[in-house]
Amino acid sequence: MPDSLFYAKAVRGTSRLVDHWLQIGQAAPDRLAMILADTARLAGLGEPEATPDGATLHAWSRDDRPPLWAARTALFLLVQMPSRPVPRDADEGCAWAYCWLRNREFASLEAARDALPEHLRTPLEAPLAEAWADQRGRRLV
């Protein structure tokens, strides 16, 4: 599969990733948006210009391309949830894998896979390999 097809799927999946946070986060949308922005800043996953509100979070969950910091932070929060969520479809899985590699530095694909929580290793096996190839194939990231 060409790298560009993976990236297109990952971009489409970022809104699904934000939606996943919105659907299973245990707070009102305004609070979930604040948690997302504050976590991005504290964890070094991005610098939101402003803290979004719940309506913005809902819009991003339907948009083709929410801010990358929002998708990266949604993944950061989802992988820590005790309910152990997994991607709900292939595009979302690509977004999870893409953001996983953007959130941390890994020396190898195996190191990236081994760092995943156990419950994500099987669902993200193929998308992570595609994300790794895509990341290594790019020259202007």
Side-chain angles (χ1 to χ4, degrees):
M1 172 177 292
D3 295 341
S4 61
L5 292 179
F6 168 80
Y7 184 71
K9 290 189 298 185
V11 168
R12 280 193 309 268
T14 57
S15 61
R16 302 271 301 140
L17 185 51
V18 171
D19 180 63
H20 207 147
W21 166 245
L22 184 60
Q23 296 303 315
I24 68 173
Q26 296 180 345
D30 284 339
R31 177 102 171 110
L32 292 173
M34 183 188 69
I35 291 168
L36 199 67
D38 288 347
T39 302
R41 292 179 187 109
L42 291 170
L45 299 172
E47 286 295 327
E49 292 178 19
T51 299
D53 59 16
T56 301
L57 195 61
H58 275 288
W60 289 344
S61 75
R62 294 181 303 274
D63 187 56
D64 284 340
R65 198 169 198 163
L68 185 55
W69 69 261
R72 290 177 64 193
T73 307
L75 173 72
F76 179 84
L77 292 165
L78 288 169
V79 299
Q80 297 179 59
M81 295 187 89
S83 63
R84 299 170 43 158
V86 297
R88 298 170 293 179
D89 61 36
D91 287 351
E92 187 179 343
C94 289
W96 282 53
Y98 177 79
C99 290
W100 182 253
L101 295 181
R102 294 293 305 257
N103 283 357
R104 296 175 47 189
E105 290 287 325
F106 298 102
S108 67
L109 173 58
E110 293 75 23
R113 186 178 15 242
D114 292 347
L116 282 167
E118 184 68 36
H119 73 280
L120 290 172
R121 289 183 185 162
T122 298
L124 291 183
E125 184 174 356
L128 191 61
E130 290 180 70
W132 185 263
D134 179 77
Q135 185 182 57
R136 295 299 174 253
R138 291 204 211 173
R139 301 294 175 251
L140 300 173
V141 177

